[in-house]
Amino acid sequence: AQSVTQLGSHVSVSEGALVLLRCNYSSSVPPYLFWYVQYPNQGLQLLLKYTSAATLVKGINGFEAEFKKSETSFHLTKPSAHMSDAAEYFCAVSEIAAGNKLTFGGGTRVLVKP
Amino acid sequence: KAGVTQTPRYLIKTRGQQVTLSCSPISGHRSVSWYQQTPGQGLQFLFEYFSETQRNKGNFPGRFSGRQFSNSRSEMNVSTLELGDSALYLCASRLNSGNTGELFFGEGSRLTVL
């Protein structure tokens, strides 16, 4: 069964500092992995996705993530935080065997300090 | 291109009542999924519909049901509402059920059960 663990429910970073959000997954087969962002009172927006192509995936708004099979990780990074990055971020996994439904991690809320 | 539209955005019900939520997917998208988001349980998969057929179902009681119409619009219904059903209900669409492409989310319907 697929599952996702996001380490840290809250992360505080200074504007201009590195953003690092951790995601580990459990899957019986090579999974598809996603990062979504949710701003207050809004739905989820896709930041990036890994679907077995390049292991380093670049997304929108300067975010990128690296798939590491040996560590079963898919951590999200951004070199320099901006105030507009304050939001909640969700890592998700899907498997064909599970009907391609998304299983989400618990989310990490990012606070950006000026 | 219009995004995923959910109605109503906010609603308040009392225990024992029933509620119907509506979702219009992006034009051309044939798959519609529903997710429940709560502070305690996070994002949980409810079900997915494709071509008017339920293709996948999460672990929710039978009080939660859905359907999809020939124009791909979808509705979900919750009967005999309980306090714990208070949540943000998110609808998401994609082109087809079997692909691993991006899920496009609506802004959600926020249900409060009193």
Side-chain angles (χ1 to χ4, degrees):
Chain A
Q2 57 189 33
S3 66
V4 178
T5 301
Q6 290 184 238
L7 191 61
S9 59
H10 291 80
V11 167
S12 181
V13 298
S14 297
E15 192 173 18
L18 171 72
V19 179
L20 170 60
L21 305 182
R22 300 180 186 275
C23 171
N24 287 89
Y25 68 91
S26 171
S27 173
S28 57
V29 296
Y32 299 105
L33 295 159
F34 306 81
W35 275 100
Y36 280 85
V37 61
Q38 185 178 34
Y39 298 100
N41 298 316
Q42 293 188 24
L44 279 71
Q45 180 185 8
L46 182 70
L47 280 176
L48 48 82
K49 63 181 179 183
Y50 167 77
T51 55
S52 73
T55 57
L56 182 62
V57 182
K58 294 187 183 299
I60 62 172
N61 302 338
F63 285 94
E64 63 180 36
E66 186 173 10
F67 172 69
K68 291 187 176 180
K69 184 178 178 181
S70 61
E71 299 178 8
T72 60
S73 68
F74 191 56
H75 302 331
L76 180 72
T77 60
K78 181 174 180 178
S80 176
H82 191 271
M83 296 299 291
S84 61
D85 295 327
E88 190 159 19
Y89 294 79
F90 294 92
C91 182
V93 63
S94 76
E95 291 179 14
I96 292 176
N100 285 323
K101 70 175 184 181
L102 286 182
T103 297
F104 287 91
T108 299
R109 189 172 297 277
V110 173
L111 171 66
V112 182
K113 299 176 293 185
Chain B
K1 199 174 194 180
V4 177
T5 304
Q6 292 187 244
T7 56
R9 288 292 313 280
Y10 302 91
L11 66 166
I12 300 174
K13 294 286 187 178
T14 57
R15 281 179 297 173
Q17 287 187 310
Q18 70 148 14
V19 67
T20 299
L21 308 178
S22 179
C23 172
S24 293
I26 291 173
S27 178
H29 285 193
R30 299 167 63 194
S31 167
V32 173
S33 299
W34 289 89
Y35 289 81
Q36 181 197 62
Q37 185 177 24
T38 60
Q41 299 298 317
L43 281 154
Q44 294 186 289
F45 172 77
L46 280 156
F47 27 64
E48 180 183 14
Y49 286 87
F50 177 76
S51 293
E52 303 178 65
T53 301
Q54 188 180 89
R55 290 301 182 95
N56 207 346
K57 189 177 188 305
N59 296 321
F60 279 83
R63 299 185 297 108
F64 292 80
S65 63
R67 60 177 175 170
Q68 187 181 33
F69 302 95
S70 58
N71 62 358
S72 294
R73 192 177 69 85
S74 177
E75 289 181 347
M76 67 162 284
N77 184 79
V78 187
S79 63
T80 319
L81 284 166
E82 301 177 359
L83 295 179
D85 297 332
S86 294
L88 180 67
Y89 290 89
L90 292 165
C91 170
S93 74
R94 57 183 169 184
L95 278 172
N96 295 301
S97 175
N99 73 7
T100 56
E102 176 182 358
L103 272 178
F104 293 83
F105 284 83
E107 294 189 318
S109 293
R110 185 168 295 281
L111 170 65
T112 301
V113 181
L114 301 176

